[in-house]
Amino acid sequence: MATPKIKSKTSTPQKSNHATERQGAAKAAPKVKRFKSAYSKAEMEEIFRRFSVQRPEPKGELEHVNPFTLVVAVALSAQATDAGVNKATRALFRIADTPEKMLALGEEGVTQYIKTIGLYRNKAKNVIALCRMLIDEFGSEVPKTREELIRLPGVGRKTANVVMSMAFGVPTLAVDTHVFRIANRLLMAPGKTPDEVEENLLKVIPDQYLFHAHHWLILHGRYCCKARKPECERCVIADLCRSPEKTVDVPAPLVELPQQLIGEAVE
């Protein structure tokens, strides 16, 4: 009986360890998203120059009397309008303008003042917890750094940025719904999340305009480039705007607007 021939196994060349490591590293390395604004550096400078002429000293429209009432007001403004928050907090801040006074009201006491605001029960709970932390850990003083601020209950990055800017003069950029919309609609600094938009805006806003940029963008979005229908005929940057929704190419006259009436905000 013939002995069957055994087929020799053809050896498959093995990839070197170095090649395997390189491929693995290539797969593991995250793709770097390249951000590109629709505007040149000169165009961005002109956009914010016009905003600065229109509103030389823009202001936030949440009523407050000190850093503590500011952080409370901004925390309450989540998913609510500034006008609605102002109506609710006027009486509250008259009797509770410190952490100690607010804490003495308790959750139910705070609730009675802010029940016209969305999510008021959870917000009242956060306000009381915020007061306890300010008293226990910060000597009743509102901290000045973002890292400390975001530790406070109900305070996120946006709230921290607003407080740092308005209370302590730090040039930050808080991305609320208006800023998020403007950055994406105008193709100025598009992004899928507020943090991404913030990062991209910081890359394109000229340094000399950064301190007021947050308020300029909010006010432009609130009163001109409105969510439902932008009022392009009233826009001072209509000729520069790259928005696909734009309806006018001729900019509105560049004149200083009347002084803001804080507390009379129209959302």
Side-chain angles (χ1 to χ4, degrees):
M1 183 175 178
T3 304
K5 294 181 178 179
I6 299 175
K7 292 183 180 179
S8 62
K9 294 182 179 179
T10 304
S11 60
T12 303
Q14 298 295 316
K15 292 182 180 178
S16 70
N17 290 336
H18 292 299
T20 303
E21 288 173 3
R22 282 197 299 270
Q23 285 189 354
K27 289 180 181 179
K31 291 183 179 180
V32 178
K33 292 183 179 180
R34 293 185 177 275
F35 157 69
K36 183 171 176 58
S37 174
Y39 304 85
S40 67
K41 181 178 178 182
E43 288 172 330
M44 288 297 293
E45 289 182 352
E46 177 60 14
I47 286 171
F48 282 93
R49 183 193 73 80
R50 294 185 193 180
F51 285 160
S52 72
V53 171
Q54 190 178 44
R55 297 184 189 274
E57 293 293 331
K59 294 179 173 59
E61 297 188 321
L62 283 172
E63 296 177 12
H64 62 283
V65 296
N66 55 31
F68 168 68
T69 54
L70 175 62
V71 74
V72 171
V74 181
L76 293 176
S77 71
Q79 300 183 46
T81 65
D82 286 1
V85 172
N86 288 338
K87 288 178 182 178
T89 57
R90 283 178 194 135
L92 174 62
F93 292 161
R94 277 197 292 268
I95 65 166
D97 59 356
T98 68
E100 289 82 2
K101 292 177 183 177
M102 192 74 74
L103 187 61
L105 287 176
E107 282 184 39
E108 286 304 315
V110 172
T111 297
Q112 294 307 308
Y113 286 93
I114 68 169
K115 59 186 177 182
T116 57
I117 302 175
L119 307 175
Y120 66 92
R121 290 198 180 279
N122 190 55
K123 289 178 179 179
K125 181 179 180 180
N126 282 336
V127 167
I128 293 303
L130 177 152
C131 292
R132 287 200 185 97
M133 183 176 284
L134 287 177
I135 294 168
D136 294 343
E137 299 188 31
F138 298 102
S140 298
E141 297 291 329
V142 175
K144 296 183 179 181
T145 69
R146 183 182 292 112
E147 292 72 23
E148 290 174 315
L149 282 165
I150 61 177
R151 288 182 54 214
L152 298 173
V155 175
R157 185 179 179 88
K158 185 205 83 171
T159 299
N161 282 344
V162 172
V163 173
M164 289 169 65
S165 173
M166 292 179 63
F168 305 122
V170 179
T172 60
L173 192 72
V175 177
D176 71 348
T177 55
H178 296 295
V179 177
F180 187 81
R181 181 178 71 256
I182 296 300
N184 280 286
R185 176 186 275 170
L186 273 59
L187 308 179
M188 185 181 286
K192 295 181 179 179
T193 66
D195 285 356
E196 188 177 347
V197 166
E198 178 186 342
E199 180 182 354
N200 291 339
L201 279 172
L202 289 172
K203 294 175 183 176
V204 297
I205 293 175
D207 291 343
Q208 68 268 35
Y209 295 117
L210 182 58
F211 182 72
H212 287 312
H214 160 69
H215 288 130
W216 281 323
L217 292 172
I218 285 178
L219 296 170
H220 186 64
R222 179 174 289 159
Y223 297 115
C224 182
C225 198
K226 297 179 179 179
R228 292 184 180 179
K229 185 180 179 182
E231 298 180 4
C232 300
E233 68 280 0
R234 298 177 54 233
C235 180
V236 296
I237 61 169
D239 55 325
L240 298 171
C241 179
R242 299 281 200 286
S243 172
E245 300 176 50
K246 184 174 74 169
T247 58
V248 173
D249 288 321
V250 179
L254 184 58
V255 296
E256 184 174 340
L257 296 175
Q259 188 174 0
Q260 288 173 255
L261 298 176
I262 306 304
E264 304 296 327
V266 178
E267 296 293 333

